[in-house]
Amino acid sequence: MIPPSLKNISEFPPSIQPVITEFANKLSKYLDDSVHSIVVYGSAAGVNYNHGVSNINIAVIVKNLDFSVLNQSLGLVQWGHKHKIATPLFLTKEYILNSLDVFPVEFTEIKEQHKVIFGEDIFKDLDVPLKDVRLLCEQQVKGKLLHLRQAYLDIGPKPSVLKNLLLSALSDLIPIFRQLIILKGQKPAEQKEEMLEQLAKIFSLDPGPFLAVTHDKNRKILISSNQVEAHLQNFLSQLENLSRHLDSL
């Protein structure tokens, strides 16, 4: 039974409704009335949730965030890891409002895709300056390009390691890609694959390497060992093309 203080639980995939409910109940037991709101964000709050693959991302907004809050939550976090709940973000309302220029993409991503299950919706009315989003997007794309090149030189042609590198890189870039579409005045498609094709069309890219990595992550079409290096090469090429577009965005 869903406690009356929780809301929107029925809007999540049925497979994770019990986990989210239990997390909220346990959190209430650990922290009592210090919890201001509980927010589920990311794929679990949208259409891209893939059971058994996707993590459940949760932000906990507390009234005061001292060390005792973290200490009291250790057991809950460990329990969550066993149920695909990523380590939650513990925040205060003041921290969020004073950090919009530092984490513009992160907070915009939460704003765009979240569901409140307890308390106030702090994120819905956030006003994140677009100039801060654009700068961080450029930093992330160019930084990822630099990192991937260096990683390849360190790793060499080791297919399994390179594939994990690609999976991790795309996961980090997905929110950046969404924000770039918004900066171009368009609404990102909800489905991840459609969003990647949308990005490619806007910036004249080949979506192939991004889609291939997405298919592999979702276990639809796996990248074979002899294909990994070619996909990495094309991945790097498309990031290079995108970085050029960002210089004039």
Side-chain angles (χ1 to χ4, degrees):
M1 178 179 178
I2 299 172
S5 58
L6 297 185
K7 53 190 176 183
N8 299 321
I9 298 296
S10 62
E11 296 184 17
F12 297 100
S15 60
I16 60 174
Q17 290 178 18
V19 173
I20 292 173
T21 300
E22 189 168 355
F23 175 90
N25 288 337
K26 287 179 180 293
L27 183 67
S28 177
K29 188 180 299 183
Y30 280 106
L31 300 182
D32 196 23
D33 61 354
S34 64
V35 179
H36 184 86
S37 55
I38 306 172
V39 177
V40 178
Y41 66 95
S43 60
V47 299
N48 290 301
Y49 179 75
N50 187 353
H51 184 66
V53 176
S54 302
N55 285 324
I56 302 169
N57 297 297
I58 296 178
V60 180
I61 294 84
V62 293
K63 296 170 185 175
N64 294 292
L65 185 50
D66 53 29
F67 187 78
S68 65
V69 170
L70 303 179
N71 182 262
Q72 292 170 43
S73 303
L74 287 173
L76 175 61
V77 171
Q78 294 304 311
W79 176 88
H81 288 166
K82 297 175 183 177
H83 296 84
K84 294 291 287 182
I85 296 178
T87 302
L89 290 177
F90 280 84
L91 307 161
T92 63
K93 184 175 182 178
E94 180 185 23
Y95 180 89
I96 294 169
L97 296 177
N98 290 335
S99 304
L100 296 179
D101 58 338
V102 182
F103 303 110
V105 170
E106 291 84 349
F107 286 135
T108 301
E109 281 290 292
I110 296 176
K111 176 183 177 179
E112 294 294 325
Q113 189 164 274
H114 73 278
K115 289 185 172 69
V116 177
I117 62 172
F118 175 81
E120 178 190 3
D121 190 347
I122 293 172
F123 294 99
K124 69 175 181 178
D125 294 323
L126 288 185
D127 184 17
V128 182
L130 288 180
K131 64 179 180 61
D132 294 330
V133 176
R134 195 214 68 80
L135 178 60
L136 187 61
C137 285
E138 183 176 6
Q139 290 173 339
Q140 290 296 313
V141 170
K142 292 185 175 181
K144 190 63 67 178
L145 183 60
L146 183 64
H147 169 72
L148 287 172
R149 287 168 173 163
Q150 289 181 309
Y152 177 67
L153 291 173
D154 286 334
I155 295 167
K158 297 178 182 177
S160 62
V161 183
L162 289 179
K163 184 195 281 193
N164 287 334
L165 188 68
L166 281 171
L167 290 169
S168 176
L170 185 63
S171 179
D172 292 342
L173 287 168
I174 286 295
I176 303 300
F177 290 166
R178 274 197 292 262
Q179 294 308 310
L180 288 175
I181 292 171
I182 292 172
L183 286 172
K184 293 294 284 186
Q186 297 190 28
K187 180 178 175 59
E190 289 192 61
Q191 292 284 354
K192 190 177 295 184
E193 293 174 18
E194 293 177 13
M195 184 274 290
L196 290 170
E197 291 175 346
Q198 183 183 12
L199 175 89
K201 184 176 181 179
I202 292 171
F203 291 100
S204 302
L205 307 175
D206 172 12
F210 304 140
L211 292 172
V213 176
T214 299
H215 292 157
D216 188 279
K217 182 175 182 179
N218 293 332
R219 300 170 187 169
K220 290 182 179 179
I221 305 173
L222 298 181
I223 298 174
S224 65
S225 296
N226 61 0
Q227 295 174 319
V228 175
E229 202 163 352
H231 280 300
L232 174 62
Q233 180 180 356
N234 201 3
F235 198 102
L236 289 170
S237 177
Q238 299 317 307
L239 282 189
E240 177 67 36
N241 291 339
L242 181 58
S243 72
R244 292 195 187 99
H245 284 284
L246 296 185
D247 290 334
S248 57
L249 183 62

